[in-house]
Amino acid sequence: MKAIVVTDQAAGTAGMTLVERPEPPAAINDVIVEVHASGFVPTEMAWPSTWTDRRDRDRTPSIPGHELAGVVSALGYGTTGLSVGQRVFGLTDWHRDGTLAEYVAVEARNLAPLPGDVDFTVGASLPISGLTAWQGLFQHGRLQAGQSVLVHGAAGAVGTMVTQLAREFGAYVIGTGRGADRQQALEFGAQEFVDLENDALADAGGVDLVFDVIGGDIQQRSARLIRSGGTLVSVVGPAEARPADGRAVDFVVEADRVQLNEIVQRVRDGRLRTNIGTVATLDDAVAALHPTGRTKGKTIILVRPSAAHSG
């Protein structure tokens, strides 16, 4: 099969190459998925799991990409809940070969059915952004209706999901980003926008929840805005700053079939829009995943372009 591999951590996305690899076998509880579309997160190149296995042994050349939409092509022994020919989407294991390939082996529990009216391109854009937003807001942030949420990177793939879900659940959303992101953030539902380059973050006032995708100085300043009993939720590693009278939580997103079902149902009925940026084929993926400029939205690689938009 064709696959993108990385072998050199220092090279980052510049070290990606398109090669021929053997198709993966289906281990116990695995399914093999014929990948139609794959999502990619640029920070993967900095994750230890891209380069080493759980015992810290080198696992290169490794195949990156952890989001997919496709069709089940084979079942491993003991696999339940899915069938050959079924459309699925989901989030693959961090320490295993990923989805920038024609086939991938995935634990069945990491996948959810992809409804026939949601195309593969959209399905592949949902797992990391959607699950990160869902888990950050509801599991870790304990969001309640009427609370206010400060969403950093509000025009990004994760931020637009956070904004929409927070609004749906009755929160007041203040988005942040660069000035050029203002319109996009407002279109996805932010009620206010703070330009981090030109506005004073403190002008946002007190908030109940900060959803941080940036870290550093921005996180330090954001923590000071959190009201008593509020929460700082970070997806960029352990929080460096803590609210004076609240919680700081950092988490790594996990696959969850029930949550994937909730997310895709909202896409079907129009409550949730995806934020897809660059779309490229697997043959053109190396260039698309190593962009010269700033990327906007979610980058999707069409592994089977002719099939990616069909049911």
Side-chain angles (χ1 to χ4, degrees):
M1 67 171 184
K2 287 196 292 192
I4 301 283
V5 298
V6 290
T7 54
D8 179 0
Q9 187 164 4
T13 54
M16 288 181 163
T17 48
L18 181 64
V19 300
E20 284 290 329
R21 286 289 294 270
E23 290 181 21
I28 294 173
N29 297 327
D30 271 0
V31 299
I32 302 301
V33 180
E34 179 186 83
V35 181
H36 286 244
S38 169
F40 177 73
V41 180
T43 52
E44 281 185 34
M45 294 299 108
W47 301 347
S49 55
T50 299
W51 309 101
T52 58
D53 66 15
R54 284 191 168 80
R55 293 179 183 168
D56 210 28
R57 296 174 302 199
D58 176 52
R59 67 177 198 87
T60 59
S62 56
I63 302 172
H66 293 282
E67 300 169 279
L68 82 155
V71 175
V72 176
S73 63
L75 302 177
Y77 180 78
T79 300
T80 57
L82 297 172
S83 54
V84 171
Q86 185 172 10
R87 300 169 94 250
V88 291
F89 75 118
L91 180 62
T92 68
D93 189 292
W94 307 123
H95 288 87
R96 295 174 64 177
D97 276 341
T99 58
L100 289 173
E102 292 182 302
Y103 294 91
V104 65
V106 192
E107 275 191 79
R109 65 189 178 96
N110 292 346
L111 300 170
L114 182 68
D117 55 0
V118 178
D119 77 33
F120 291 113
T121 309
V122 171
S125 75
L126 296 173
I128 288 182
S129 302
L131 291 172
T132 299
W134 190 280
Q135 292 165 19
L137 286 172
F138 307 130
Q139 278 177 241
H140 304 292
R142 304 174 190 169
L143 182 70
Q144 294 170 12
Q147 290 187 328
S148 56
V149 183
L150 182 68
V151 181
H152 288 309
V158 173
T160 49
M161 287 280 179
V162 175
T163 298
Q164 293 174 89
L165 289 171
R167 283 291 305 270
E168 182 196 334
F169 280 79
Y172 183 85
V173 177
I174 304 162
T176 82
R178 301 177 190 213
D181 296 332
R182 180 185 302 268
Q183 196 54 42
Q184 173 103 319
L186 296 174
E187 283 172 7
F188 273 96
Q191 284 136 305
E192 288 179 41
F193 183 82
V194 177
D195 173 352
L196 290 177
E197 295 171 319
N198 299 299
D199 301 338
L201 187 57
D203 291 349
V207 296
D208 300 294
L209 177 66
V210 170
F211 202 112
D212 182 32
V213 299
I214 301 172
D217 174 57
I218 298 291
Q219 186 184 95
Q220 302 273 355
R221 287 189 279 152
S222 303
R224 297 197 280 270
L225 304 178
I226 296 174
R227 295 189 182 114
S228 177
T231 307
L232 169 71
V233 173
S234 166
V235 295
V236 289
E240 302 158 37
R242 303 190 80 79
D245 183 22
R247 298 185 307 132
V249 183
D250 69 282
F251 75 101
V252 175
V253 64
E254 296 177 356
D256 188 297
R257 184 179 291 176
V258 172
Q259 293 171 8
L260 286 169
N261 287 333
E262 289 275 4
I263 291 159
V264 80
Q265 186 54 49
R266 284 168 169 73
V267 172
R268 295 180 76 193
D269 63 25
R271 281 178 289 172
L272 201 55
R273 286 190 297 133
T274 59
N275 180 7
I276 295 173
T278 302
V279 178
T281 64
L282 191 59
D283 288 335
D284 297 330
V286 171
L289 297 174
H290 184 60
T292 50
R294 186 170 169 237
T295 58
K296 293 198 168 193
K298 185 86 204 173
T299 299
I300 299 294
I301 301 303
L302 300 182
V303 180
R304 285 176 174 74
S306 58
H309 296 287
S310 64

